[in-house]
Amino acid sequence: MQAGRISDRYGVRMPIALGGLAMAGGLALPIAVGGLPALFLCPALLGLGHIYFHVSIHNLVGSLGDQSERTKNFSTFALGGSIAAFIGPSAAGFAIELAGYRAAFALLAVAALLPSLYVLLDRRSIPAHIRQEEEKGAKSAFDLLAIPALRRTLIMSGVALTGIELFSFYLPIYGRAIGLAPSTIGLILSSYALAGFVVRMVMHRLAQRFSEVGVLTGSLFLAALAYLAVPGLTDAIPLAAAAFALGLALGSAQPLTIILTYNHAPAGRSGEALGMRIMANKVTQIAVPLAFGGVGAAMGAAPVFLATGVFLLAAGVISLKEGG
């Protein structure tokens, strides 16, 4: 939330630049220093830089053009994220195999540094301040939670992230338990990633026809059905189909919650609201693996899929209220 306040008050250029520099510095540490302390400090700097970078980027994207263009702009942004998520692991893997781990850290450090150099050198394309009107009155961060539409959006965002996190973790465990080969499990996960890329190409058209809330509601119900179906599937092709459906659903849910968070934020506090959204997501990333890890260890992966399906179903009902 503090990162969001900074982007609201002082503009987005410097938080983006400093966030990229922090990530690049974290990735350079294992090259320059090595050892376990550097490996602990590396992800800490990555996480800190990531927060400032992405809250400010989201705030910038939301400010470009008018509200009618916002969904298309966030769809394009999310599509870029999908491409990066596909290229990044492959590039790192090849760099490790061809030149070692230090070379992979160096490659990723350069990638993190490039956006910082861009925003510092090209001052015309990235505005120093985004166009916002100041909100008057209370400035407590948690008074944002008093806005019902924003509160519902934060809940939906956290539940959608729960679906993303648990699928990527528990699908390999479930696949192994039913005897699928590692390559088959990898292909199932690839179908999930492919669907996320596909849906982001058409998301703004869907939102134009059904509205952002309408698409989000359908996405949450589709994700719930896919999760609930997984424990009854034991063959690769039906599992790949369920993974593809889940990728379509969750691939659109996350960008849509960013758009709705921006739309529901009070004037002059969009960055703060976006920071609160990421805070809620990070709480989810910490709490959910701890909570479901015990269930998975005691009862296997199937109950985890069923419970997550129920959570997503409940989030769909909440989204229906949002639409109403």
Side-chain angles (χ1 to χ4, degrees):
M1 290 186 290
Q2 185 61 34
R5 285 197 196 103
I6 289 172
S7 72
D8 286 333
R9 184 173 300 176
Y10 301 109
V12 298
R13 185 185 295 147
M14 290 310 296
I16 291 171
L18 294 175
L21 289 171
M23 288 188 282
L27 288 161
L29 268 178
I31 305 170
V33 181
L36 195 59
L39 291 177
F40 274 107
L41 190 55
C42 168
L45 285 171
L46 279 171
L48 181 66
H50 173 273
I51 293 298
Y52 279 89
F53 185 94
H54 276 88
V55 168
S56 300
I57 285 284
H58 292 163
N59 209 6
L60 173 62
V61 174
S63 71
L64 300 175
D66 55 32
Q67 186 168 348
S68 63
E69 300 173 286
R70 193 169 294 154
T71 301
K72 183 177 181 180
N73 291 340
F74 272 111
S75 297
T76 304
F77 174 79
L79 190 61
S82 296
I83 295 170
F86 177 77
I87 293 174
S90 301
F94 280 115
I96 290 168
E97 289 188 9
L98 296 173
Y101 287 96
R102 290 179 186 273
F105 274 110
L107 175 66
L108 297 174
V110 170
L113 186 62
L114 289 176
S116 296
L117 295 176
Y118 180 80
V119 299
L120 290 174
L121 295 176
D122 189 358
R123 294 176 174 267
R124 289 176 298 177
S125 61
I126 306 295
H129 291 83
I130 57 178
R131 302 185 303 274
Q132 287 186 335
E133 297 177 0
E134 284 293 328
E135 184 201 40
K136 297 179 180 179
K139 290 290 183 180
S140 169
F142 290 97
D143 65 7
L144 294 173
L145 293 176
I147 303 171
L150 183 56
R151 185 172 61 247
R152 287 193 294 268
T153 299
L154 294 175
I155 293 171
M156 290 184 286
S157 179
V159 173
L161 185 69
T162 298
I164 294 170
E165 293 284 318
L166 291 180
F167 185 78
S168 61
F169 183 77
Y170 276 103
L171 190 277
I173 295 174
Y174 179 73
R176 181 75 173 175
I178 61 176
L180 297 180
S183 59
T184 303
I185 296 171
L187 289 172
I188 293 171
L189 290 172
S190 294
S191 69
Y192 170 81
L194 176 63
F197 180 84
V198 169
V199 75
R200 288 173 180 184
M201 293 182 67
V202 299
M203 192 178 74
H204 68 282
R205 295 189 183 92
L206 292 173
Q208 284 177 344
R209 182 169 182 179
F210 301 107
S211 81
E212 287 88 356
V213 176
V215 176
L216 179 59
T217 302
S219 297
L220 291 169
F221 282 124
L222 178 60
L225 291 174
Y227 254 101
L228 293 170
V230 167
L233 304 175
T234 55
D235 294 327
I237 293 177
L239 278 170
F244 190 85
L246 192 62
L248 291 176
L250 298 180
S252 59
Q254 279 299 86
L256 287 168
T257 59
I258 298 173
I259 297 167
L260 291 171
T261 299
Y262 190 97
N263 290 344
H264 294 321
R269 300 182 69 185
S270 56
E272 189 177 355
L274 290 165
M276 179 171 281
R277 173 189 168 275
I278 290 184
M279 185 191 75
N281 286 357
K282 295 303 177 186
V283 170
T284 299
Q285 286 178 304
I286 295 168
V288 166
L290 291 173
F292 281 89
V295 175
M299 305 175 64
V304 175
F305 283 104
L306 294 174
T308 308
V310 172
F311 279 140
L312 288 162
L313 196 64
V317 173
I318 292 173
S319 188
L320 279 177
K321 293 181 180 179
E322 170 88 358

